[in-house]
């Protein structure tokens, strides 16, 4: 049994795992991890793509080959940008380089936590939407900030679970649960902070549509096995959500009937 399909900007998707491409031991391992994960969306950092030596070391060619061979869709990102102007310029370059209107928008406001800057992100998102981009903004779990991004035309949101690369999992599940409840019809993807399959399960059990992760797979002892584990975790979490989780409570509730009948008959 598999979870129900979903969509991002009207593009149908089966997999609820989005995978990054940075930090893998080799392009070959990256390709194997993509295959093991079953992902249909792969992100790539534009600054790394355009950086010195990227073409020489085979990074761009490796990403292109991995995406092509496994039928995944490319989601360029503006990781490393510190201003709306910089992110807009990089997004425009991405559209030319990769021939896609999809862009994962990242504008960082703090060097230590890599927390997104809500004001610069909003400014960039509004400009990019006007320019015809389909924007996936990296944001916090703040409900009001998320609503402002929707107001300017974003149709998918990517709130963080924890600081990028920290592996802490979901540090504010209450806020994420609230976000899901208040925005029931918006595709929500937990981005950043996922470090273990159990974190991915939790995100999907909260009702989120997908998770995006990179370090948890790329830096694992065996990236290919970890990619497969994450795929199973995401599927399990979503199936649990779709099945309907029982409500938590403080006191015990007997699971065995006490009236002598194994089933309650109508």
């Amino acid at each position: 049994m598999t979870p129900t399909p979903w969509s991002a900007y009207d593009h149908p998707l089966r997999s609820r795992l989005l995978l990054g491409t940075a930090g893998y031991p080799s392009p070959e391992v990256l390709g194997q991890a993509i295959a093991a994960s079953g992902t249909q969306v792969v992100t790539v950092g534009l600054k790394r793509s355009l950086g010195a030596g990227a073409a020489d070391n085979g990074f761009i060619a490796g990403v292109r080959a991995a995406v092509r061979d496994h039928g995944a869709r490319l989601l360029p990102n503006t990781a490393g940008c510190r201003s709306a102007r910089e992110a807009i310029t990089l997004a425009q370059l991405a559209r030319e380089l990769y021939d896609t209107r999809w862009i994962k928008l990242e504008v960082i406001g703090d060097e230590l936590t890599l927390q997104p800057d809500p004001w610069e992100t909003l400014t960039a998102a509004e400009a990019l939407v006007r320019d015809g981009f389909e924007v996936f903004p990296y944001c916090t779990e703040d409900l009001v900030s998320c609503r402002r991004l929707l107001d300017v035309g974003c149709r998918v949101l990517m709130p963080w679970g924890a600081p990028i690369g920290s592996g802490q999992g979901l540090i504010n599940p209450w806020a994420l649960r609230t976000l899901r409840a208040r925005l029931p019809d918006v595709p929500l993807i937990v981005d950043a902070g996922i470090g273990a399959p159990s974190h991915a399960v939790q995100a999907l059990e909260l009702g989120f549509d997908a998770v995006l992760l990179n370090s948890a797979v790329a830096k694992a002892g065996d990236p290919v096995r970890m990619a497969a584990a994450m795929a199973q975790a995401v599927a399990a979490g979503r199936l649990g959500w779709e099945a309907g989780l029982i409500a938590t409570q403080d006191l015990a509730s007997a699971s065995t009937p006490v009236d002598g009948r194994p089933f309650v008959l109508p």
Side-chain angles (χ1 to χ4, degrees):
M1 184 175 293
T2 58
T4 57
W6 65 297
S7 65
Y9 286 103
D10 302 319
H11 182 77
L13 297 165
R14 297 182 309 277
S15 172
R16 293 174 180 271
L17 174 61
L18 288 68
L19 204 60
T21 56
Y24 284 84
S26 69
E28 292 74 23
V29 173
L30 169 60
Q32 293 168 18
I34 290 175
S37 72
T39 185
Q40 295 175 284
V41 179
V42 174
T43 68
V44 58
L46 270 300
K47 285 203 168 186
R48 184 178 181 191
S49 295
L50 301 172
D56 296 337
N57 65 22
F59 175 73
I60 295 177
V63 170
R64 285 184 181 275
V67 170
R68 180 189 65 246
D69 293 347
H70 302 289
R73 179 157 181 162
L74 195 64
L75 175 61
N77 70 64
T78 63
C81 289
R82 298 295 188 272
S83 69
R85 181 186 296 272
E86 184 183 12
I88 292 167
T89 300
L90 203 56
Q92 292 167 341
L93 289 172
R95 183 166 55 186
E96 298 301 318
L97 180 62
Y98 292 112
D99 189 27
T100 179
R101 291 190 299 156
W102 278 18
I103 191 72
K104 180 192 170 190
L105 175 61
E106 294 186 35
V107 186
I108 299 303
D110 182 75
E111 297 292 334
L112 184 62
T113 64
L114 300 182
Q115 180 173 330
D117 184 320
W119 292 275
E120 293 294 307
T121 299
L122 183 63
T123 299
E126 186 172 16
L128 290 171
V129 169
R130 284 201 309 265
D131 196 21
F133 283 90
E134 295 178 329
V135 182
F136 294 67
Y138 168 58
C139 53
T140 67
E141 72 280 26
D142 180 75
L143 175 60
V144 176
S145 296
C146 286
R147 280 178 164 162
R148 295 294 176 264
L149 289 167
L150 296 174
D151 289 342
V152 300
C154 296
R155 293 167 51 198
V156 176
L157 299 177
M158 305 184 77
W160 69 347
I164 295 172
S166 68
Q168 296 183 61
L170 310 185
I171 58 176
N172 194 347
W174 178 87
L176 291 172
R177 186 181 296 109
T178 300
L179 192 64
R180 176 73 287 173
R182 299 294 288 155
L183 305 175
D185 300 320
V186 178
L188 298 177
I189 303 167
V190 170
D191 177 19
I194 300 293
S198 57
H199 301 156
V201 170
Q202 184 183 13
L204 273 293
E205 286 180 346
L206 287 176
F208 281 74
D209 296 278
V211 297
L212 188 156
L213 54 88
N214 182 77
S215 298
V217 171
K219 296 182 179 180
D222 187 333
V224 179
R225 279 181 175 269
M226 185 58 74
M230 289 295 184
Q232 293 181 41
V234 167
R238 182 64 190 188
L239 281 173
W241 165 261
E242 292 177 359
L245 304 172
I246 66 170
T248 58
Q249 56 188 28
D250 293 332
L251 301 178
S253 176
S255 58
T256 303
V258 295
D259 59 0
R261 293 178 295 175
F263 302 100
V264 178
L265 301 177

